[in-house]
Amino acid sequence: MAQRGGTATPVTDAERDRQELDATASAGKAPRTDRGRRTLRALLDAAAAEFGEKGFHEGSISGITRRAGVALGSFYTYFDSKDAIFRALVRDMSDQVRDHVAPALRAAPDQIAAERAGLLGFLEFVRGHKEIYRIIDESEFVDPASFRAHYATTAERIEQRLKAAAGRGEIRADVSDVHAWAVMGMNVFLGLRYGVWDEDRTPDAVADTVADMLRTGLAPR
Amino acid sequence: MAQRGGTATPVTDAERDRQELDATASAGKAPRTDRGRRTLRALLDAAAAEFGEKGFHEGSISGITRRAGVALGSFYTYFDSKDAIFRALVRDMSDQVRDHVAPALRAAPDQIAAERAGLLGFLEFVRGHKEIYRIIDESEFVDPASFRAHYATTAERIEQRLKAAAGRGEIRADVSDVHAWAVMGMNVFLGLRYGVWDEDRTPDAVADTVADMLRTGLAPR
């Protein structure tokens, strides 16, 4: 079966993950050892918990280091400020969502199955990381550039995979950025409703409904 | 042509608008005259400008009364606090969007045309009221109950009109809350992208693309 969504190999993915993690640190503060990377990872996870629970303004650096189980000085080894780790966290969550759904996207037999798998994976991720909505949404006010980058990047990725599928004849030839933003918007609000607010429908049921709508809505003409 | 989306008459709409405006005032502070209603309306419009430009925390009651051209005391004739007018504003904007798109929804010859008209009207409204996104989005942090009510109410309204259309055989019989949240999510993100961020596509072009996708995606099976 042809790989979907790019030609990345597992080795390249791991290397990319490492580079992306290193890039979350403030300028000149990238970790140089795997131990440093583990500390950086622990700080980002602690920041997700701290900001997810308290919000940006009430959240604190000492709250983050306490949750991460590291000394206050370790924070400044990797980050310049509370703003800096918040900005890094938005990018990290964006990357985490992408990485969580990527294998299912690649393994799907066709693009509608891929979109179904992507939404399913997203709903499951959100149920396990409900803080992601509060953090991404608060970035609109704390760091508008991060907010914009998160959605622009996500929409761009969806547009690329839809256009690749159109090129293979799997979906309609005229897919554009409008379809990509429509798909992203659906997924974001379905995640809010069936991932964060209430679990009264299973992720599979929600993904089935959307895939069934997209199968005809995006069918080749 | 049968009226779509309810049986409201113009008289009832006007009366409802008046009741809804009155209900935005704090408890016991509803206006008792049309002049009072005009002041209340001016305060809400000024609050949209003030909070849209400065955000909730930087926005002030004196900034609102200055923009509205009324004395500070007039603010307290209708509202108890900055929190109270912010909460009222979210509800008012939610009502304004509904009222702006309602005539086009009712006039459309079928439900796909109605959804197209609804999105078109929403995109046009957003271009003229770009502050709506910042205000609704900030309500997630300033007043979570208003944020939730805005989206729950909007989705419920979409679900009702989709189910009514299914009952008329215009769209698939199995439409549910999932379809309603999907449609709302699309519209919200298309409004952000093509209404607030950039006007590189016309509202008509965006609405055409979505209607074309929904026509088959929601077609009767």
Side-chain angles (χ1 to χ4, degrees):
Chain A
M1 182 188 306
Q3 276 205 333
R4 316 191 72 74
T7 54
T9 64
V11 172
T12 305
D13 281 353
E15 172 61 18
R16 188 192 61 183
D17 287 351
R18 197 175 67 83
Q19 289 173 358
E20 286 180 348
L21 177 63
D22 289 359
T24 62
S26 293
K29 294 190 170 180
R32 277 167 289 187
T33 64
D34 283 342
R35 188 173 168 204
R37 279 181 199 103
R38 284 193 294 275
T39 302
L40 176 55
R41 181 72 262 159
L43 285 166
L44 287 167
D45 291 342
E50 175 79 0
F51 293 133
E53 186 182 315
K54 299 187 172 178
F56 178 76
H57 296 291
E58 297 296 317
S60 67
I61 293 174
S62 60
I64 293 169
T65 53
R66 193 164 51 243
R67 288 174 196 264
V70 303
L72 193 62
S74 293
F75 179 90
Y76 293 101
T77 304
Y78 302 105
F79 296 104
D80 290 340
S81 63
K82 187 169 87 162
D83 285 79
I85 196 170
F86 185 85
R87 193 162 50 242
L89 178 61
V90 173
R91 176 135 171 225
D92 177 61
M93 297 205 104
S94 199
D95 292 344
Q96 275 194 59
V97 171
R98 182 203 58 203
D99 292 348
H100 183 81
V101 302
L105 282 176
R106 282 202 291 265
D110 64 61
Q111 195 58 35
I112 299 304
E115 296 305 322
R116 184 195 180 285
L119 173 55
L120 179 65
F122 178 63
L123 290 169
E124 287 167 344
F125 183 84
V126 166
R127 287 191 175 186
H129 300 79
K130 295 191 180 189
E131 72 282 2
I132 191 172
Y133 274 76
R134 180 169 183 170
I135 291 164
I136 303 275
D137 292 353
E138 195 166 18
S139 74
E140 182 177 355
F141 305 98
V142 173
D143 184 33
S146 291
F147 176 78
R148 196 167 169 132
H150 168 66
Y151 286 120
T153 304
T154 303
E156 176 70 23
R157 198 157 56 229
I158 296 173
E159 184 180 345
Q160 284 174 3
R161 75 187 187 222
L162 291 179
K163 285 187 168 168
R168 294 190 303 267
E170 291 175 18
I171 60 172
R172 55 192 301 164
D174 65 352
V175 285
S176 70
D177 48 294
V178 177
H179 296 92
W181 278 81
V183 166
M184 180 171 70
M186 279 195 280
N187 290 356
V188 170
F189 272 76
L190 293 166
L192 177 66
R193 171 63 181 77
Y194 303 103
V196 179
W197 282 8
D198 201 323
E199 303 192 354
D200 56 337
R201 288 187 185 270
T202 65
D204 267 303
V206 174
D208 278 343
T209 298
V210 171
D212 194 53
M213 181 167 65
L214 292 179
R215 187 168 293 114
T216 47
L218 294 179
R221 309 275 135 149
Chain B
M1 182 188 307
Q3 276 205 333
R4 316 191 70 75
T7 54
T9 66
V11 172
T12 306
D13 281 353
E15 172 62 19
R16 187 192 60 181
D17 288 351
R18 196 175 67 81
Q19 288 172 359
E20 286 180 350
L21 178 62
D22 289 359
T24 62
S26 294
K29 295 190 170 180
R32 276 167 291 188
T33 65
D34 283 342
R35 188 174 169 203
R37 275 178 203 106
R38 283 192 295 274
T39 303
L40 177 55
R41 180 72 261 157
L43 286 167
L44 287 167
D45 291 342
E50 175 79 359
F51 293 133
E53 187 183 315
K54 299 188 171 177
F56 178 77
H57 297 290
E58 296 296 317
S60 67
I61 292 173
S62 61
I64 292 168
T65 54
R66 192 164 51 241
R67 288 174 196 264
V70 304
L72 193 62
S74 293
F75 179 90
Y76 293 100
T77 305
Y78 302 105
F79 297 104
D80 292 338
S81 63
K82 187 169 87 162
D83 284 79
I85 196 171
F86 184 85
R87 193 161 50 242
L89 179 61
V90 172
R91 176 134 170 224
D92 178 61
M93 297 206 104
S94 198
D95 291 345
Q96 275 195 58
V97 171
R98 181 204 59 204
D99 291 349
H100 183 80
V101 303
L105 281 177
R106 282 202 291 265
D110 64 61
Q111 195 57 34
I112 298 304
E115 296 305 323
R116 183 196 180 285
L119 173 56
L120 180 65
F122 178 64
L123 290 169
E124 287 167 342
F125 182 85
V126 167
R127 287 191 177 187
H129 300 79
K130 295 192 181 193
E131 72 283 2
I132 191 173
Y133 274 78
R134 180 172 183 167
I135 290 164
I136 303 274
D137 291 353
E138 195 166 17
S139 74
E140 181 177 355
F141 304 98
V142 173
D143 185 33
S146 291
F147 175 78
R148 196 168 170 132
H150 168 66
Y151 286 119
T153 304
T154 303
E156 176 70 24
R157 197 156 58 230
I158 297 172
E159 184 180 345
Q160 284 173 4
R161 76 188 187 221
L162 291 180
K163 285 187 167 168
R168 294 190 303 268
E170 291 175 18
I171 59 172
R172 54 193 301 166
D174 64 351
V175 286
S176 70
D177 49 292
V178 177
H179 296 92
W181 278 81
V183 167
M184 179 170 72
M186 279 194 279
N187 291 357
V188 169
F189 271 77
L190 294 166
L192 177 67
R193 171 63 181 77
Y194 303 102
V196 179
W197 282 9
D198 200 323
E199 303 192 353
D200 56 337
R201 288 186 185 270
T202 66
D204 268 303
V206 174
D208 279 343
T209 298
V210 171
D212 195 52
M213 182 167 65
L214 292 180
R215 188 168 292 114
T216 46
L218 293 179
R221 309 277 135 148

